[in-house]
Amino acid sequence: IARSDRVKSVDLHPTEPWMLASLYNGSVCVWNHETQTLVKTFEVCDLPVRASKFVARKNWVITGADDMQIRVFNYNTLERVHMFEAHSDYIRCIAVHPTQPYILTSSDDMLIKLWDWEKKWSCSQVFEGHTHYVMQIVINPKDNNQFASASLDRTIKVWQLGSSSPNFTLEGHEKGVNCIDYYSGGDKPYLISGADDRQVKIWDYQNKTCVQTLEGHAQNVSCVSFHPELPIIITGSEDGTVRIWHSSTYRLESTLNYGMERVWCVCGLRGSNNVALGYDEGSIIIKVGREEPAMSMDTNGKIIWAKHSEIQQANLKAMGDTEIKDGERLPLAVKDMGSCEIYPQTIQHNPNGRFVVVCGDGEYIIYTAMALRNKSFGSAQEFVWAHDSSEYAIRESNSVVKIFKNFKEKKSFKPDFGAEGIYGGFLLGVRSVNGLAFYDWENTELIRRIEIQPKHIFWSDSGELVCIATEESFFILRYLADKVAASQENNEGVTEDGIEDAFEVQGEIQEIVKTGLWVGDCFIYTSSVNRLNYYVGGEIVTIAHLDRTMYLLGYIPKDDRLYLGDKELNIVSYSLLVSVLEYQTAVMRRDFGMADKVLPTIPKEQRTRVAHFLEKQGFKQQALAVSTDPEHRFELALQLGELKIAYQLAVEAESEQKWKQLAELAISKCQFGLAQECLHHAQDYGGLLLLATASGNATMVGKLAEGAERDGKNNVAFMTYFLQGKLDQCLELLIRTNRLPEAAFLARTYLPSQVSRVVKLWRENLAKVNQKAAESLADPTEYENLFPGLKEAFAAEHYLREACLGSSRPAKDYPLVTANEDRNILEEAQGYEPKGTFIPQFSKVQYPTSSVNLAVFFLHLQVFTLCKN
Ligand SMILES: *[C@@H]1O[C@H](CO)[C@@H](O)[C@H](O)[C@H]1NC(C)=O
Ligand SMILES: *[C@@H]1O[C@H](CO)[C@@H](O)[C@H](O)[C@H]1NC(C)=O
Ligand SMILES: *[C@@H]1O[C@H](CO)[C@@H](O)[C@H](O)[C@H]1NC(C)=O
Ligand SMILES: *[C@@H]1O[C@H](CO)[C@@H](O)[C@H](O)[C@H]1NC(C)=O
Ligand SMILES: *[C@@H]1O[C@H](CO)[C@@H](O)[C@H](O)[C@H]1NC(C)=O
Ligand SMILES: *[C@@H]1O[C@H](CO)[C@@H](O)[C@H](O)[C@H]1NC(C)=O
């Protein structure tokens, strides 16, 4: 509802959710009826705007007002594109030609004019003949060259474009005619009119007679419309009501009164159930009829649907080998089956497909599906088939449900809390204010009451699973027939709500199901956000994102395809492999024998999807066996600790990342040999160092040192040398990498005999940047006075080299060895007699500079920590 000043005309946009309302106060508004917001306003003039129309192909809004001007606006830019004086009196109506660049306007000046916007809006023709105001004009949807006009001169005239005088005149109303519309259905050459004589007349414009007069409005009739889709006539009057009439029986179906004072205008839209109404106090959009198309498919691919009240059939088989693409409209040949005596709102095949039931207007007719022969009929609010093809139930009223078998009434019963809705399938479901009750079809005994307000119920073929869909979510339940049978036998576990253990909840999903069906244990559905999904074992798989609302018709295993229809009766399909569904069903039933049998029929490219499903169900071993995706297999192999498979995959993939992951797994499994290999492949020297030291493998540390230095991994190289006590190599590494100050300090700490040489190098190097600083470096051998105890240090170094280093001791001696920080080397070395002559060897090769980031000062601490650990 949009409240506003008096609305003189309404129009609906063909693609946007927009309603155009032209107001008596001079404004024109565009409302978004989905969000209920005002999107745009055009301040046209100070006088009433009685006519306005969308021209979607030009992005225009065209208005006609009491200032006699036609104005054209671009509704995107809100710019006025054009304006011209069209008539010499108020403009009453604008009609837009569906294909040509024409508009027609009618006015109180008694004229109708044709304008061509491609010829600079020139007036191509004037239609003269009415003797009073021309209130409305409509173009014949079946012949765009013809249009009709309604006038206060009490006549209706029919005109041809190209002829300035009317083709013919229809007379019969006793007062001025306000409104007119063409019937757009194929079968009847009809016009409808409404007048100040409070009557609505239906005219056959071929034999030019009035075929029906609809009486009932208590005041001037201001608007009339044949609905472009539904078999209804909508009329509005200054009595404030809108009346809905059946377009073939002319029965008054409904009277709508929204209390918004006089009704002025009505607009329906092809392909939509929306109807816009304009009143004294604003405008309203109503939805009429059912959203869902009346359509049903049997298990062989025969589709029956209702187009208005005509029943038509299409056969998927007749398409032959036409190649089908997902989501594309199928080129189906449609066969007319005859018309139905009721206006079908739903069509449903029975389970074996021999019969179809058509329901509508409180009645049902059961036909044979082949020839559409009437087999049974009656009145019913609702009709549902049982799982057994010969049985069905009807809801006769809000309290009585009747069950039929072989077209004969078997039982009539009154459910305890009434019957607001019924659901077919394995059990008979009855909805009441108190929730849902399931009954046994055989004896109408209560099986179970569930506190839920279902919208739809879908049973799987086996009757073991059922989906109960509500307005917010859906539940998957398992029906435990054994327990039900046991309880019925011994009467245990039976309460006033039925058998407690009848159902077991398997899952709840926060999605709104529009339509659904089961294939095995997989529940396929369309959701409120237009997704085509299926649910299996707690998992949701999306098959497709749909671009509009679609309704599931069925699944044909032979085609591996799922079929859906839309409101316009287009049929599309999506591929869904039956082998995959069967496999998943077998897995859900833990029937791996069956699963293994089905597996070979699943194409290779689908295997990984199936494997992911297995993994999510917790069957990783099986998933590993099934998956064809190396990434997925590697992940699974890691999770399962399958080192051999993971190793093979890592070899094939040649990826450092995989080697690292595998190394981690190998370490966790104490497979140090493998871990070492992996770390090598991954070039993970840090990892190798940790592994080598932590496992106390001296050989490995040695090898690592060489490799690391070769590969320029200087940090690791330094560390490994140092750990092995290879101080000379440490020093050389520092020198080679131009870490001369560090080298000097290392020498000063561990290799005093080398200090002189290093300081010399350091000085030379420093001199290049700072001569003065270089000169201030003192060589201990030249300034013995500055370095007391240097001689003793040389001796200690010699002592350590000969007596200690190189003699590695087993790790088990660790507790017996005095910690380095507790030793006093100088004391130990006292009285030690050197055996050989101490001449250290040094290479003179210059190495390229690279970084050694470790500060030598921290080495003590680090080595110490490593040993302790
Ligand atoms: C006419 O009425 C509408 C809504 O009732 C309002 O938004 C608009 O501003 C009015 N226009 C004029 C010209 O008063
Ligand atoms: C009226 O229209 C019909 C076709 O719709 C045409 O055959 C006939 O000649 C026309 N009559 C006049 C008087 O224009
Ligand atoms: C005109 O045609 C309608 C059917 O559209 C028919 O019911 C009516 O009797 C016909 N009238 C005359 C006068 O032929
Ligand atoms: C009905 O139309 C007549 C003109 O034909 C007008 O005088 C009268 O006021 C209208 N009725 C109402 C209730 O507005
Ligand atoms: C069905 O057919 C019977 C007899 O063949 C007939 O009396 C009845 O009117 C038909 N009913 C409907 C609703 O088609
Ligand atoms: C130590 O590492 C070497 C390879 O670097 C390996 O061959 C040897 O088996 C390892 N020793 C132990 C005890 O793991």
Side-chain angles (χ1 to χ4, degrees):
I1 294 183
R3 298 257 169 202
S4 70
D5 200 69
R6 184 185 307 169
V7 177
K8 291 302 293 184
S9 90
V10 282
D11 194 19
L12 290 168
H13 194 281
T15 52
E16 302 288 341
W18 291 347
M19 177 185 72
L20 181 70
S22 46
L23 309 186
Y24 201 78
N25 72 3
S27 293
V28 169
C29 301
V30 178
W31 298 88
N32 181 322
H33 54 77
E34 275 173 9
T35 59
Q36 312 236 359
T37 50
L38 182 62
V39 185
K40 301 161 203 287
T41 315
F42 303 93
E43 305 286 344
V44 176
C45 62
D46 297 335
L47 297 170
V49 185
R50 292 178 200 270
S52 65
K53 283 274 157 64
F54 281 119
V55 185
R57 60 192 192 269
K58 303 291 287 181
N59 298 334
W60 284 343
V61 162
I62 302 186
T63 66
D66 282 4
D67 63 359
M68 298 162 297
Q69 302 282 332
I70 290 285
R71 291 176 178 81
V72 183
F73 298 90
N74 180 311
Y75 56 63
N76 290 330
T77 62
L78 302 182
E79 209 176 5
R80 197 175 68 204
V81 180
H82 195 64
M83 169 171 158
F84 60 95
E85 186 166 314
H87 288 274
S88 57
D89 208 336
Y90 298 169
I91 297 168
R92 290 284 174 176
C93 183
I94 300 171
V96 181
H97 196 280
T99 53
Q100 301 287 336
Y102 302 155
I103 62 165
L104 283 162
T105 56
S106 76
S107 160
D108 287 0
D109 66 8
M110 303 185 280
L111 299 178
I112 298 162
K113 293 185 180 178
L114 177 71
W115 309 89
D116 185 338
W117 70 66
E118 282 192 352
K119 294 196 177 135
K120 297 188 174 160
W121 290 98
S122 61
C123 177
S124 332
Q125 204 169 358
V126 177
F127 302 88
E128 218 168 329
H130 279 300
T131 55
H132 207 314
Y133 304 165
V134 186
M135 303 300 285
Q136 195 177 5
I137 38 181
V138 273
I139 295 173
N140 186 345
K142 283 175 249 167
D143 173 3
N144 295 336
N145 253 345
Q146 192 189 68
F147 69 93
S149 59
S151 166
L152 292 192
D153 66 10
R154 305 180 182 184
T155 70
I156 294 152
K157 288 183 189 291
V158 174
W159 313 75
Q160 297 286 129
L161 293 183
S163 162
S164 59
S165 54
N167 190 300
F168 54 85
T169 301
L170 300 173
E171 287 174 78
H173 278 296
E174 281 161 19
K175 284 193 180 167
V177 188
N178 291 314
C179 46
I180 187 151
D181 195 18
Y182 273 101
Y183 175 60
S184 56
D187 48 344
K188 296 165 197 158
Y190 283 1
L191 269 169
I192 183 174
S193 62
D196 283 344
D197 61 8
R198 305 173 185 182
Q199 292 185 346
V200 172
K201 283 182 182 289
I202 317 257
W203 308 84
D204 181 315
Y205 60 77
Q206 263 164 12
N207 63 17
K208 303 177 185 61
T209 52
C210 171
V211 289
Q212 191 78 29
T213 300
L214 309 181
E215 294 183 16
H217 277 300
Q219 259 305 335
N220 305 342
V221 177
S222 44
C223 51
V224 290
S225 166
F226 268 117
H227 193 279
E229 295 286 330
L230 301 165
I232 53 170
I233 293 166
I234 304 164
T235 60
S237 157
E238 290 180 37
D239 66 10
T241 66
V242 168
R243 286 171 189 248
I244 313 263
W245 318 75
H246 198 289
S247 66
S248 3
T249 64
Y250 306 116
R251 189 172 65 190
L252 176 66
E253 300 281 353
S254 182
T255 301
L256 310 173
N257 191 340
Y258 294 108
M260 307 254 293
E261 299 300 329
R262 293 172 293 181
V263 185
W264 293 110
C265 43
V266 58
C267 177
L269 182 65
R270 182 155 271 288
S272 155
N273 290 12
N274 294 331
V275 171
L277 302 165
Y279 288 86
D280 268 340
E281 296 184 349
S283 36
I284 290 186
I285 296 243
I286 56 172
K287 232 185 216 322
V288 290
R290 255 172 80 91
E291 261 307 290
E292 212 167 311
M295 216 185 224
S296 179
M297 183 171 93
D298 71 6
T299 48
N300 295 316
K302 268 203 196 121
I303 305 169
I304 290 182
W305 65 59
K307 186 168 194 172
H308 305 303
S309 50
E310 303 302 313
I311 306 287
Q312 297 180 325
Q313 194 195 63
N315 194 344
L316 294 175
K317 270 192 200 149
M319 283 192 307
D321 292 333
T322 322
E323 203 198 324
I324 299 179
K325 286 215 187 91
D326 280 4
E328 260 178 32
R329 186 167 170 260
L330 302 182
L332 290 173
V334 175
K335 194 169 95 188
D336 281 320
M337 303 277 287
S339 74
C340 184
E341 279 131 276
I342 56 178
Y343 185 76
Q345 278 163 5
T346 62
I347 294 185
Q348 305 167 62
H349 278 94
N350 74 335
N352 68 18
R354 284 192 56 210
F355 298 104
V356 281
V357 64
V358 173
C359 301
D361 304 334
E363 290 180 56
Y364 72 90
I365 307 175
I366 300 171
Y367 293 104
T368 58
M370 290 288 275
L372 216 63
R373 258 202 316 274
N374 148 1
K375 187 84 184 151
S376 182
F377 58 94
S379 55
Q381 301 294 313
E382 257 182 295
F383 179 107
V384 294
W385 292 106
H387 179 68
D388 170 351
S389 280
S390 63
E391 259 183 308
Y392 56 87
I394 61 159
R395 187 168 68 86
E396 199 180 63
S397 65
N398 279 352
S399 57
V400 177
V401 174
K402 285 181 172 168
I403 296 178
F404 291 77
K405 192 166 176 99
N406 296 322
F407 310 105
K408 286 198 190 69
E409 185 176 324
K410 193 172 86 172
K411 181 143 190 164
S412 167
F413 77 111
K414 290 188 169 186
D416 285 345
F417 301 97
E420 293 184 348
I422 53 174
Y423 306 89
F426 231 75
L427 296 174
L428 173 61
V430 178
R431 173 169 52 88
S432 71
V433 278
N434 267 39
L436 170 68
F438 279 116
Y439 294 93
D440 192 323
W441 282 95
E442 232 13 79
N443 48 25
T444 66
E445 260 178 40
L446 177 69
I447 302 288
R448 186 79 173 102
R449 214 184 292 287
I450 302 175
E451 262 185 55
I452 195 169
Q453 285 294 323
K455 260 195 91 174
H456 309 284
I457 294 180
F458 307 95
W459 284 90
S460 72
D461 279 343
S462 64
E464 283 169 28
L465 292 166
V466 61
C467 166
I468 303 181
T470 72
E471 297 279 5
E472 291 103 41
S473 62
F474 69 88
F475 296 83
I476 303 290
L477 278 69
R478 183 172 290 281
Y479 177 56
L480 306 169
D482 296 350
K483 296 213 168 150
V484 169
S487 288
Q488 280 170 335
E489 190 114 317
N490 57 26
N491 227 21
E492 268 171 29
V494 183
T495 68
E496 57 177 13
D497 285 336
I499 299 157
E500 280 181 334
D501 292 338
F503 290 96
E504 190 180 87
V505 180
Q506 305 275 293
E508 180 187 358
I509 283 82
Q510 297 295 329
E511 264 194 290
I512 303 166
V513 171
K514 282 255 184 185
T515 52
L517 57 90
W518 288 88
V519 178
D521 286 2
C522 306
F523 177 63
I524 305 168
Y525 62 96
T526 57
S527 77
S528 58
V529 293
N530 289 341
R531 231 165 261 167
L532 176 58
N533 288 345
Y534 73 89
Y535 168 100
V536 59
E539 289 305 315
I540 296 198
V541 180
T542 296
I543 304 162
H545 295 256
L546 307 170
D547 58 2
R548 59 191 187 281
T549 306
M550 303 282 297
Y551 304 90
L552 270 169
L553 285 172
Y555 179 72
I556 309 258
K558 190 170 53 56
D559 302 351
D560 284 321
R561 287 200 157 263
L562 201 54
Y563 295 90
L564 299 95
D566 70 7
K567 215 162 52 175
E568 273 83 51
L569 309 175
N570 298 310
I571 309 294
V572 301
S573 79
Y574 287 90
S575 146
L576 183 59
L577 294 181
V578 68
S579 51
V580 173
L581 297 180
E582 275 176 357
Y583 188 86
Q584 291 179 329
T585 298
V587 170
M588 287 319 296
R589 295 180 182 168
R590 305 289 189 268
D591 183 352
F592 286 102
M594 182 54 145
D596 289 343
K597 240 187 265 166
V598 176
L599 186 62
T601 64
I602 297 177
K604 287 262 182 309
E605 63 274 13
Q606 295 285 332
R607 297 274 171 97
T608 302
R609 186 165 133 199
V610 170
H612 280 288
F613 170 77
L614 283 165
E615 183 189 355
K616 283 182 185 151
Q617 298 306 314
F619 304 118
K620 290 186 181 157
Q621 203 72 49
Q622 286 86 343
L624 178 60
V626 168
S627 184
T628 53
D629 171 18
E631 297 291 329
H632 188 215
R633 280 170 53 79
F634 185 74
E635 277 307 314
L636 287 167
L638 285 188
Q639 288 175 34
L640 290 164
E642 292 281 358
L643 286 172
K644 275 211 188 91
I645 296 174
Y647 178 81
Q648 197 51 44
L649 288 162
V651 168
E652 284 160 19
E654 289 181 6
S655 115
E656 275 190 18
Q657 183 54 33
K658 284 206 173 52
W659 285 118
K660 269 191 189 150
Q661 283 173 280
L662 184 55
E664 232 168 79
L665 178 65
I667 290 169
S668 75
K669 298 212 158 232
C670 297
Q671 300 274 329
F672 297 134
L674 178 62
Q676 199 184 334
E677 187 184 342
C678 295
L679 290 169
H680 265 296
H681 283 295
Q683 305 229 354
D684 183 352
Y685 287 94
L688 283 167
L689 176 61
L690 180 64
L691 181 62
T693 52
S695 61
N697 185 333
T699 327
M700 191 176 158
V701 174
K703 278 175 123 183
L704 175 60
E706 287 158 29
E709 184 166 4
R710 194 180 52 237
D711 291 344
K713 304 285 176 190
N714 296 324
N715 282 334
V716 175
F718 185 93
M719 188 66 122
T720 42
Y721 284 139
F722 193 83
L723 286 171
Q724 294 175 90
K726 294 186 175 168
L727 294 167
D728 297 334
Q729 267 101 327
C730 287
L731 184 67
E732 289 315 295
L733 184 63
L734 288 173
I735 293 169
R736 273 202 303 281
T737 52
N738 214 20
R739 293 295 181 144
L740 294 170
E742 287 94 334
F745 280 96
L746 181 80
R748 174 82 174 101
T749 314
Y750 297 102
L751 302 165
S753 62
Q754 301 302 316
V755 171
S756 175
R757 183 175 70 100
V758 179
V759 168
K760 212 165 138 242
L761 292 171
W762 186 7
R763 243 200 228 142
E764 280 166 18
N765 197 276
L766 190 57
K768 290 177 203 157
V769 287
N770 190 337
Q771 184 68 41
K772 221 170 153 199
E775 278 163 11
S776 65
L777 289 175
D779 182 342
T781 47
E782 290 165 18
Y783 298 94
E784 276 196 55
N785 56 327
L786 295 177
F787 296 89
L790 193 64
K791 285 229 169 64
E792 291 81 351
F794 283 163
E797 179 189 353
H798 205 162
Y799 156 77
L800 278 176
R801 226 176 247 284
E802 288 193 344
C804 304
L805 296 179
S807 61
S808 61
R809 298 178 66 175
K812 68 172 168 30
D813 286 357
Y814 179 72
L816 310 172
V817 176
T818 316
N820 278 340
E821 71 271 24
D822 295 335
R823 287 170 70 179
N824 185 335
I825 305 294
L826 290 175
E827 264 170 30
E828 279 181 45
Q830 256 172 26
Y832 174 74
E833 288 298 325
K835 289 185 194 105
T837 0
F838 173 49
I839 310 160
Q841 296 289 309
F842 299 113
S843 75
K844 298 210 161 53
V845 192
Q846 260 323 112
Y847 288 88
T849 310
S850 71
S851 68
V852 173
N853 293 323
L854 281 180
V856 171
F857 305 103
F858 295 113
L859 274 172
H860 279 309
L861 183 62
Q862 292 206 351
V863 171
F864 173 68
T865 313
L866 259 172
C867 294
K868 279 281 154 85
N869 287 341

